[in-house]
Every structure is written in structure tokens, then in C-alpha cells.
Amino acid sequence: MNVRLLSCETVGMEIDYRYLVRADRIHGSLLHDRDIFAEEMQQIFVRGWAFVGHESETKNNGDWVKRQLGTESVIMVRGDDGEINVLSNRCAHRGTALCWEHSGNDSFFQCTYHNWRFGLDGSLRAVPFPDGYSKPKEDLGLDRAGQVANYRGFVFANLDGSACSIDEHLGDAGFELIDRLCEMSPTGKIDLSKGWIGHRVQSNWKLWPESDSDGYHVGFVHASMSASTDTYYDDVAVGGEAVKSSRAVDYGRGHLELDWRPSYKQELSWLGVTRERVRNYCSALAKRVGDEVAQQLLWDGPPHAFLFPNLFLGETVIAIVEPVSPTEMIHRHTAVQFEGVDDAFNERLLRQTEAAVGPASFITSDDAITAERIQAGVSGTATSWAATSRGWVDLSRGMHREVMDEGGVRSSDASDETTNRGFWSRYLEIMSQE
Amino acid sequence: MNADTATQLKAEVEEFLYREARYADEFLLDEWEGLLTDDFHYWVPAGRIEGDPAKQLAYLNDNRARVATRIRQLQTGKRLSQLPTSPMRRILSNIEVQQEAADQISVKANFVIYELAAQSTGELRVWPGQAQYQLRRLQGELRMAAKWIELVTAQAGQRNLTFLI
């Protein structure tokens, strides 16, 4: 078998991603191999586009947040000109990290090792005892992301600048999913400045795009939630296959949705309230978009979607998938806050987020355990036991019944693994490109 | 309050806190819930204990109804993240008792919890922090009206926190 599965035994050989990622299954080594992880960090998080943060986190010039793009530490900062820059959090001199807190406001970044000082655009402004340098200052600025794009406040970066355009990366579907979230706000604008909470999980990062877009597990992993409280997931994702009209959708390019809209049984299900409780919000929304559109929006709610490679739009929650090592990751989330609503409404969104997502939540804590159990299961290094199925992860559910529309969008029952296959198909495209 | 009364109150508070800690460690959920007032507030912020809890995104911010749901979820027998429950023990120390009013006592204590993640990786997890309690005397008995937890690691993110901290 001309394939490389194990780091320690196969130094110098090419990893054959076409062998490891099949239409109906993937190999378990993709979830724990160190060399594969290293290549992913380069191909996906350095050479490709990834979500960095939201402009509402850096409202004023000089506001910055520290983020992790794959294994690269970056600073997202609003510069003196009001534009958002994405800079390497690494002094151009000797590599010292410039920022170590989560966020701040500064008029420059100064390294604590030799006091080199950089502007908010990353340019080198001053060094102590400059006579010692003959190199031009322009060559000693911070690394800047090669491409940065901002769509309705969502900031994406491509570190090395070699990726396609953001239009091509997001595609119509990516833009539309962000639109569907933002349009829920009475002003069309959302705010993501309540801070991010890290959920540390001992699993490979790729298990989370899978989990966040997997409709099959909800009735099993989250049975304890259904048994203890009423939730809209009971209507849209739990129960017999035949009665479910929710859809698993693969838009292509790794962008995925569990489309609950056909299954909601009443308006505002996604908020868990009736109109009487949030009348101000409903009328503010109708004022901007009209009664008819508002009616539809309130019924449909914001999407449950994943944008490749690291952004989860979970109705009123946003999460970033942050790889740490082949077997460690952070699921980092914040609560969507709408503009133009009263405090009580946004506080409702905070409480809803706390219930749904994070270490002490009612939902994703059970996903974390599941991811850790998968990690334990797939981390064996045998390529094949007696049965040929060993070592592989099956993702074939619903292959025979998914449909593709004229635009190339693939969909199937919400419990089908169409979304999982969509993730891996994009993964294969990226990892097998030169 | 004379010295004798203060010593007596401190002993009574300590006895209450140790019992609350043991109920939590041993997943004696009904017994633990029996210690709560009807307006109990349970809060684990993502940073320091400061500001208005309602306006922050926290690890956990339960009113009385939500803490009841939390306990109910643990009692379903299907809560994967506590199946099996974590073997755990906590140590309380540095207990400071402040009588705020006739029936209102606030307490601060340091704690360290040792938890074995028996449901998943089997690693030993250590949870250091400070607990701030509001205790109230109802019909002569102490009850817990609030428990706020400031984790040393609050800003660093957490592994699963699905036991009663």
C-alpha cells in the first residue's frame, strides 16, 4: 500500500489524501497524525481563508484582539485610519509575542525584549540604538495577512495572500448565510463584543465542524436535554426519520447547513418564546423590513451553519474552531447581540448561549465528551485489523437519497451525513492541491 | 456580636459549607437542591467576580429554575458528560464569614477540586478558585441564596464543567 499513515514510520513520504478521504469514509489517521496536522495548519490556515473576528470587537482605533489562526498567533487591530489589520503576533526582530492578553487598546505595539515599537499597521516605528542597523526599516515590519476581507463585520484573513478571492471562497452561499443572520437584527447589524469563552476539548479540531453540522446525533447525544427541558431541537432534529423535514445541506466549498426552517412549528422557535415576550423586537424588525418579510424571518430564524474552515453560525451563537494540536482543540464561542433592541432582549440571548454552548452548557458539553470518545476510538495506529473496515470512519449515511439542485447544492434528510461529506470533500480539495 | 457568638456562627457556617461541598462531590443532587433558597443564583463568570452578571457572557449563570433543569438533566441517566459521574473531592479553606444582617451572612472561601474525567480521557483535572456564598437563615436553618465561583483559570477556557462546582 503506497500510503503514509504514521508519522514515525514514514518520514519523507507523501501523504496520499486521495487514499485517506473517500466519498463514503475517511481514514482515522486524519484525526490524530502529527504530520497531517502540520500540513493542515499550512494548507488550510496559512494558505487559505479563515475567520478571524468581528469588527464590533474593535470599535475604536487602536482596539485589538489576539486570535489563533491554526497555530499562528495573530492580532486583529483597528488602525489609525479606521481599517482593520491582521498582523502576526510575533516581533519581527527575535520572534517574541507582542500581545499576551485577550484584547486591549494601544497606539502602538512594543516588544518587551528590546523595546522595538510597531505601528498599528505593523510598520516598524522605532528601535533603541538604531545605529546598529544597516537594513532599511521597511524590511523589519510585522508580517501582515496577505488578504483581509470584511463582510457585514465578519473579518476573514488569508495569511500568505495566495488564496482565491473572498468572493470565490465564501461563494454565494457563504454570503447568504451571513446575511440570514444579520437580517435578524432590527438594524441589520449584529454585535459580537461580549467576549469569547473557550471550551477546551481533547479532540482533533475537525471533529467539531462535523459535530456542529451533524443532524444524526441530536436525539442520542442530547437525549438528557430533551428529557429535562423543552427545546426547539425536539421539533427539528429529534424523532423518527420519516417525520423530519429539516435538511442537511452541502453548498460546496465546505460551507454547510442544517436547515431547520421546514421543521419549525411556530414563529420564534429558535428564541424559545412567543411574540408577546419580545414584542419590541418584532416591531423594530418589521419597521425595517416590512411586516411580510419580518413574519418570514421570525419564523425561519438565523441559520445553523458552518463556514469552512473554522466559523460556526449556531443560530444565536457564534463559535470559532481553534486547533491546538492533533488531539487538542478549543471551541470558542460568543453570543450574538442585536443592535436596536432593548437590554432585556440581548440578555435573553446571553442566557440562551450559556444554556446551549460551552463547558457548563446543557448541549455542547455532551458533544465535547463525544468528541473525546471518538478521539480515543480513532487514535489507534493499526492500519488494518482482520476486518477491512477497521481504521476507517464511515460517512455514507444517506448517499443514496441525497439530491443536487441546478446550482450544485447537495441536500438530504437532516440526519444524513451529506454535511460531513461536504466538509471532507472540501478538505480533500485543499489538502491535495500543490 | 461577641466573640463567642462569632465563633459559634463560624462553626455553623463551616458545617454548612462542608455539607454543601460533600453533597456536590457525591452527586447527592436532591440533598444539594434542598440547601437552596427559592431565589438562588448560581454564577461562574468568565473572568473576575465583578459587574452585573446579567450583562456578561458567563460559563454558567443559573437562576433557580435553570439550576433545577441542570439537576434534572443530571438525573436523567442520559447526561453523557457525567456518565459515569466524575469521582471528585474538594477542599475548602480560608473561610471568611461576614454577618451582613440578622439573617444574612456572606462567606468567602478558597477551594480546590480534584476531578477525575472518568467519562472520557481519565485525566485528573484540578479546579482552583474562590467561592462567594450568600447564606440566609430561614426558620432557623441556613440556606444558600447565592453561590458565585471565581476560577483561577477563568480567562483561560475550561474543560467540561458539568458537575456542581
Side-chain angles (χ1 to χ4, degrees):
Chain A
M1 182 164 44
N2 178 25
V3 59
R4 173 180 174 201
L5 297 175
L6 304 175
S7 310
C8 51
E9 295 171 0
T10 54
V11 174
M13 288 174 68
E14 286 275 299
I15 298 168
D16 186 352
Y17 289 98
R18 285 186 184 80
Y19 177 84
L20 299 171
V21 181
R22 310 288 182 87
D24 65 329
R25 59 193 160 136
I26 60 143
H27 196 270
S29 58
L30 291 162
L31 298 170
H32 63 78
D33 183 87
R34 282 168 299 170
D35 290 347
I36 289 174
F37 180 82
E39 290 195 3
E40 288 168 352
M41 295 307 102
Q42 184 65 23
Q43 293 286 90
I44 296 174
F45 288 94
V46 174
R47 295 184 65 185
W49 285 98
F51 173 70
V52 185
H54 193 266
E55 67 177 9
S56 59
E57 299 181 76
T58 54
K59 292 188 176 80
N60 305 305
N61 293 0
D63 283 352
W64 57 264
V65 294
K66 182 165 71 76
R67 281 294 133 74
Q68 209 52 38
L69 277 192
T71 42
E72 299 297 312
S73 181
V74 304
I75 308 164
M76 181 178 98
V77 56
R78 195 178 286 273
D80 300 317
D81 56 359
E83 292 297 307
I84 290 175
N85 303 315
V86 176
L87 310 172
S88 174
N89 183 21
R90 178 190 197 282
C91 179
H93 177 212
R94 299 269 282 271
T96 316
L98 298 166
C99 299
W100 50 90
E101 300 202 63
H102 292 299
S103 60
N105 178 284
D106 285 294
S107 47
F108 54 82
F109 298 112
Q110 182 162 302
C111 179
T112 51
Y113 194 0
H114 303 97
N115 282 15
W116 282 34
R117 186 178 285 194
F118 301 91
L120 301 178
D121 59 356
S123 61
L124 180 61
R125 294 290 163 85
V127 300
F129 321 124
D131 293 352
Y133 288 96
S134 53
K135 283 185 181 176
K137 263 189 185 173
E138 296 73 55
D139 293 351
L140 291 167
L142 301 179
D143 278 343
R144 292 172 56 104
Q147 297 191 76
V148 177
N150 177 346
Y151 183 67
R152 296 188 81 155
F154 286 79
V155 177
F156 298 86
N158 159 226
L159 294 185
D160 84 347
S162 70
C164 59
S165 68
I166 188 71
D167 290 359
E168 196 183 328
H169 167 70
L170 284 178
D172 292 346
F175 290 112
E176 194 190 307
L177 288 164
I178 293 172
D179 286 341
R180 278 169 50 197
L181 168 60
C182 296
E183 287 300 307
M184 298 306 303
S185 163
T187 64
K189 285 187 179 165
I190 63 166
D191 186 289
L192 298 185
S193 63
K194 283 294 180 184
W196 297 80
I197 286 186
H199 190 175
R200 309 182 79 93
V201 186
Q202 288 166 292
S203 83
N204 187 274
W205 67 279
K206 299 188 295 302
L207 289 171
W208 283 77
E210 285 210 352
S211 168
D212 285 337
S213 65
D214 180 283
Y216 192 16
H217 75 288
V218 181
F220 314 111
V221 170
H222 304 303
S224 68
M225 185 193 58
S226 302
S228 50
T229 186
D230 290 332
T231 148
Y232 60 90
Y233 284 115
D234 291 342
D235 287 340
V236 298
V238 181
E241 294 182 47
V243 300
K244 293 302 148 199
S245 43
S246 297
R247 303 291 288 170
V249 186
D250 166 16
Y251 291 105
R253 304 197 68 87
H255 307 320
L256 316 164
E257 181 181 13
L258 288 176
D259 189 356
W260 306 134
R261 290 175 292 181
S263 296
Y264 281 137
K265 293 197 171 123
Q266 60 196 36
E267 64 173 13
L268 289 160
S269 286
W270 52 276
L271 200 56
V273 292
T274 54
R275 187 181 280 252
E276 286 64 43
R277 305 286 293 277
V278 289
R279 213 163 257 298
N280 290 345
Y281 162 64
C282 298
S283 47
L285 184 64
K287 203 169 169 192
R288 182 172 64 86
V289 298
D291 284 339
E292 201 175 324
V293 174
Q295 182 66 35
Q296 191 65 46
L297 287 173
L298 292 172
W299 192 283
D300 290 346
H304 184 108
F306 180 78
L307 298 186
F308 195 92
N310 66 340
L311 175 62
F312 175 51
L313 309 177
E315 289 95 339
T316 59
V317 172
I318 304 293
I320 307 175
V321 175
E322 209 175 283
V324 174
S325 79
T327 57
E328 178 83 33
M329 56 87 57
I330 299 173
H331 198 252
R332 199 178 287 287
H333 73 269
T334 192
V336 172
Q337 300 279 277
F338 290 161
E339 280 193 4
V341 296
D342 50 45
D343 288 352
F345 185 90
N346 274 334
E347 286 168 25
R348 177 183 293 281
L349 295 179
L350 291 172
R351 300 294 85 79
Q352 177 155 312
T353 298
E354 286 155 351
V357 188
S361 68
F362 294 79
I363 304 183
T364 62
S365 48
D366 289 330
D367 291 311
I369 285 298
T370 304
E372 290 178 349
R373 289 178 185 173
I374 296 170
Q375 196 65 44
V378 299
S379 288
T381 50
T383 53
S384 169
W385 283 20
T388 52
S389 63
R390 294 282 195 269
W392 293 89
V393 174
D394 189 90
L395 293 172
S396 66
R397 183 178 166 81
M399 281 181 87
H400 62 288
R401 61 182 175 188
E402 62 187 18
V403 294
M404 191 189 276
D405 73 11
E406 321 80 64
V409 175
R410 219 181 271 273
S411 69
S412 198
D413 286 21
S415 72
D416 287 344
E417 284 156 348
T418 300
T419 39
N420 306 73
R421 289 190 292 276
F423 175 86
W424 285 104
S425 142
R426 178 61 182 150
Y427 176 90
L428 176 59
E429 275 171 27
I430 291 175
M431 296 306 293
S432 57
Q433 78 196 1
E434 291 306 311
Chain B
M1 191 161 51
N2 65 38
D4 279 358
T5 322
T7 308
Q8 203 178 344
L9 177 67
K10 184 153 194 237
E12 187 189 8
V13 166
E14 284 182 355
E15 192 275 334
F16 179 87
L17 297 187
Y18 293 151
R19 195 147 46 94
E20 188 267 337
R22 182 165 53 82
Y23 289 166
D25 281 345
E26 298 181 1
F27 288 80
L28 297 171
L29 303 173
D30 291 331
E31 288 84 346
W32 188 82
E33 195 172 11
L35 302 177
L36 312 181
T37 61
D38 292 343
D39 60 349
F40 176 69
H41 181 227
Y42 192 21
W43 185 39
V44 185
R48 304 294 301 268
I49 292 179
E50 60 188 9
D52 181 356
K55 308 234 177 276
Q56 305 172 32
L57 181 65
Y59 291 111
L60 181 160
N61 184 348
D62 289 2
N63 60 15
R64 186 64 184 82
R66 186 169 284 181
V67 85
T69 305
R70 185 174 297 281
I71 288 168
R72 219 157 48 233
Q73 186 182 27
L74 285 164
Q75 290 174 328
T76 59
K78 299 171 181 172
R79 176 62 155 156
L80 290 191
S81 53
Q82 282 301 330
L83 204 67
T85 52
S86 300
M88 58 193 296
R89 288 293 167 188
R90 71 194 69 192
I91 310 296
L92 292 185
S93 182
N94 305 44
I95 298 172
E96 296 178 80
V97 178
Q98 176 85 37
Q99 178 109 41
E100 304 286 356
D103 293 330
Q104 188 75 27
I105 303 147
S106 62
V107 186
K108 291 180 178 175
N110 290 353
F111 67 85
V112 182
I113 300 173
Y114 298 92
E115 180 218 2
L116 189 76
Q119 328 70 26
S120 61
T121 60
E123 71 172 359
L124 180 70
R125 296 175 179 171
V126 181
W127 302 82
Q130 184 196 55
Q132 298 186 7
Y133 311 81
Q134 292 298 326
L135 305 183
R136 200 179 298 150
R137 196 177 296 282
L138 295 174
Q139 282 99 45
E141 299 280 313
L142 288 181
R143 290 283 178 273
M144 189 158 64
K147 188 178 189 187
W148 291 359
I149 299 288
E150 185 177 291
L151 291 167
V152 168
T153 56
Q155 291 179 39
Q158 309 301 327
R159 298 217 187 280
N160 262 4
L161 204 182
T162 51
F163 51 85
L164 295 172
I165 192 164

